Each structure stands twice: as C-alpha cells, then as structure tokens.
C-alpha cells in the first residue's frame, strides 16, 4: 500500500521560509507524478507544485511561481517543497499526493487527478 507522510509545517511570519517533506513508501516512485496541494478553510484543494520523478520536470501554480520549489531525493524516497517569501495567503493545510497516470498541463492541479494522499501538514503565515 502506498503511504505518504508529510512533515515540516509550522507557523511563520510574512516573508519567512519553510521546507515541507513527504516520505514515500509502498511502491517505486521513480516514474510517477508527485505533487503538493493545499487547502485553506472554505476553499477547494488546489495543486501548487508538480514533479514527474522520471525526469524531474516541474510545474507550478501561478500563485507560487518564483517562491516555491518542488524537488525529490530518490535515495531517501522523499519529496520536498521549499517555500520562500511566504504570504498570509499561503496559509493552508498542505498535502502530498502521488499518481502514476498521465497528467496534462491544464488539469494536473485538480484533486481528482491523484489517487494517493498524505495526511497533511499545517502551514500558517502571520502578517
């Protein structure tokens, strides 16, 4: 069974940084799509960053471009999200997701595109 466990969330001031980690187990993650999603109160869960682990291709939501970086460490079987220049609008529960199906640029950010999910880690940015 695929298992994804996030960590690294916390509370920071505007302009601060956090690095989220997602420990993956239960399958090979060498050639799959992995993503970070977030969900704020009253909002839909939305994809913020995507990586295809086979070649390291990455994609970002417009709201986080230039501030967030998704990366992988194959040796540790871990996915990361480096978040810099954090804003109050980034406050949300952040989730790690994985899926082996093909993704398209126009739809990858939808929750329904991913079948495996972590439990989430809270990020709070105060002004």
């Amino acid at each position: 069974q695929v298992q994804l466990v996030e960590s690294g969330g916390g509370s920071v001031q505007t302009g601060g940084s956090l690095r989220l980690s997602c420990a993956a187990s239960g399958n090979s993650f060498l050639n799959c799509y992995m993503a970070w999603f977030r969900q704020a109160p009253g909002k839909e869960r939305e994809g913020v960053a995507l990586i295809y682990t086979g070649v390291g291709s990455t994609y970002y939501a417009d709201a986080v471009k230039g501030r967030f970086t998704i990366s992988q460490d194959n040796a540790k079987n871990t996915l990361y999200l480096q978040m810099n220049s954090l804003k109050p609008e980034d406050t949300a529960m952040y989730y790690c997701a994985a899926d082996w199906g093909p993704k398209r640029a126009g739809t990858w950010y939808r929750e329904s595109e991913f079948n495996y999910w972590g439990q989430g880690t809270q990020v709070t940015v105060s002004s």
Side-chain angles (χ1 to χ4, degrees):
Q1 175 63 53
V2 171
Q3 184 170 315
L4 306 172
V5 181
E6 304 98 329
S7 62
S11 298
V12 298
Q13 293 292 125
T14 297
S17 297
L18 284 172
R19 189 180 75 161
L20 307 184
S21 299
C22 173
S25 62
N27 207 343
S28 171
F29 295 87
L30 181 61
N31 297 293
C32 75
Y33 293 90
M34 300 191 74
W36 288 97
F37 281 70
R38 67 185 182 186
Q39 187 167 27
K43 300 287 188 177
E44 293 186 350
R45 191 172 299 184
E46 61 178 6
V48 297
L50 172 75
I51 188 167
Y52 178 61
T53 63
V55 296
S57 302
T58 59
Y59 303 85
Y60 298 92
D62 289 343
V64 307
K65 285 180 181 177
R67 300 188 298 120
F68 291 11
T69 303
I70 188 170
S71 62
Q72 63 184 99
D73 186 330
N74 291 329
K76 297 180 179 180
N77 224 26
T78 301
L79 182 74
Y80 300 100
L81 184 68
Q82 178 66 47
M83 304 185 293
N84 298 325
S85 301
L86 283 163
K87 306 174 180 179
E89 308 95 273
D90 297 317
T91 295
M93 185 73 75
Y94 282 73
Y95 299 89
C96 178
D99 197 86
W100 279 261
K103 307 302 173 190
R104 293 157 59 100
T107 57
W108 70 265
Y109 52 84
R110 303 177 74 169
E111 181 178 0
S112 60
E113 290 290 317
F114 288 81
N115 290 312
Y116 300 95
W117 296 87
Q119 82 289 350
T121 185
Q122 178 68 38
V123 171
T124 302
V125 185
S126 301
S127 61

